[in-house]
Amino acid sequence: SIYDFGNNKPSYLNEFRDRSFTNSARVSIMHNWAFLLGNKSKIEFRNLLNQAGFTRTTMRNGREWYNDGRFMRSEEMRYLSRTIYSGQLAGNHTLDKTGDLILDWIMGYSASIKNEPDTKRYRYIQSLQNPDVYMLLFSDQADLSSLSRMWIHLNENAESAALNLSYRMNISGFRPEIKAGFYFENKDRRFVARNFGYAKGSSESVFGQTTLPIDQIFTDSNINLTNGIKLVEVTSLSDSYTASNHQISGYLSVRFPIAPKLNLYSGIRIEKNKQTLSSYKQGSTIKVDVDRDTINIFPSANLTYNFSDKNLLRFAYGMTVNRPEFREIAPFYYVDFEMNAGIYGAPHIKQAYIHNFDIRYEYYPATGETFNIGAFYKHFIDPIEQVILGNSPTQYSFENVRSAYSAGIEAEARKSLGFISGMDKFSLIMNASWIKSKVSFP
């Protein structure tokens, strides 16, 4: 929390001890086909399906300092299922006799489904009169901080297409190469969440505060509108949203052999992207409509110097973009049990741009062996960061901050173990990196 300057020490929001028990399962299916049409064309059909799920129970004991410093006991029972399918139909065609003119294309479809049915949470708090007694509270209105049930469903579909054409020219032994292409993607998402809580069935209810265990509270006889409790839906309009991202882009690049050992590969990419989201402001009936339509130009350059056929020095620059995720702009308020905090998006955040610089030495001593070492620097403009907006209870959102950078050195080596008898099919791979990052906030 905010630093306690008077006592010169940190002040805490929460002090918890969690015990978490998880059982997970995953099924993956990959099914790929390839069809050769003569010796100049190939068609591929690629399919990947992932189905994953887990059940998790987390039991918590601890202290919430923003809640009168009271001790509490809480529990979350959760099940989550994810289904992801990705399919591609792709082709590669040589259009001339010399193999210098090549056309390739891809058509893709993907679907992502997330289900989180009936996540249950409850919290007992310590009695102020008797520290040995813990109570579950029910009020006239449903209080999601004391007890809640939540259903979440997400469905996302994306279609994409790409076409690339490359031509390697031969002008009296001079061999420049030109590439051009376009990319299209259409992505749509629908997100729905429903929240339920429990309240007193009437003013005559005996459940204003109870020390009974959970299994004795939620019995059929206690769910009534006289002296029991009732289930109340507290879903707001901001708990659902629809979103889409439409992108079309084209690029042109040239590989230019400046000298026998010096090659320049440079290009430019033009991208039109439209991101939309429709929802409501948190806890209100005020519409939130995000419609971000941008046109960007991204240059890139790659300069290589070949000392020999085994080693080279590479310099590279490229400009890239980091667009906010749908979750980062959606006003949906979600209470994360592990963080014990509420998280919601910020519709006003904008995309970030990154300038990427690299220098790398690459050495290939033998077949299947490599060694490279390099340095990189990334400069971020309007980077998207998670920020804290309040601490009673803790709340997080997302903002564009002033700037950021990431710089580092990285090395990688692959060595064949063929010099050891019987180890000719084995290799040793090692890599290491040192990275320094810094974010500047207002």
Side-chain angles (χ1 to χ4, degrees), residues 9 36 92 98-99 101 131 140 142 191 207 214 283 301 336 351 365 406:
K9 67 177 184 180
L36 299 177
N92 186 284
T98 61
L101 184 61
D140 295 330
F191 176 88
F207 286 98
I214 285 291
D336 187 293
Q351 57 194 20
S406 181

Side-chain angles (χ1 to χ4, degrees), residues 7 70 73 146 223-224 232 248 270 295 308 343 377 388:
N7 296 307
R70 285 207 241 182
R73 296 172 184 163
S146 292
I223 309 297
N224 63 72
V232 181
I248 185 167
I270 301 175
I295 296 178
S308 68
I343 303 172
Y377 176 80
I388 185 168

Side-chain angles (χ1 to χ4, degrees), residues 40 93-97 101-103 165:
K40 289 190 175 182
H93 311 276
T94 302
L95 303 181
D96 64 348
K97 294 181 179 179
L101 184 61
I102 298 174
L103 173 73
L165 183 68

Side-chain angles (χ1 to χ4, degrees), residues 8 23 37 164 179 261 320:
N8 194 27
N23 184 21
L37 308 176
N164 303 286
K179 287 186 176 182
K261 294 186 177 183
T320 54

Side-chain angles (χ1 to χ4, degrees), residues 254-266:
V254 179
R255 186 182 67 83
F256 194 77
I258 300 174
K261 294 186 177 183
L262 189 63
N263 287 275
L264 174 65
Y265 189 97
S266 182

Side-chain angles (χ1 to χ4, degrees), residues 123-152:
R123 181 184 66 180
Y124 285 81
I125 62 173
Q126 187 184 54
S127 169
L128 293 175
Q129 291 76 30
N130 187 348
D132 296 326
V133 174
Y134 284 77
M135 304 174 300
L136 185 61
L137 305 181
F138 294 91
S139 60
D140 295 330
Q141 303 294 325
D143 180 8
L144 297 184
S145 62
S146 292
L147 198 143
S148 68
R149 298 173 70 172
M150 177 174 58
W151 278 257
I152 289 178

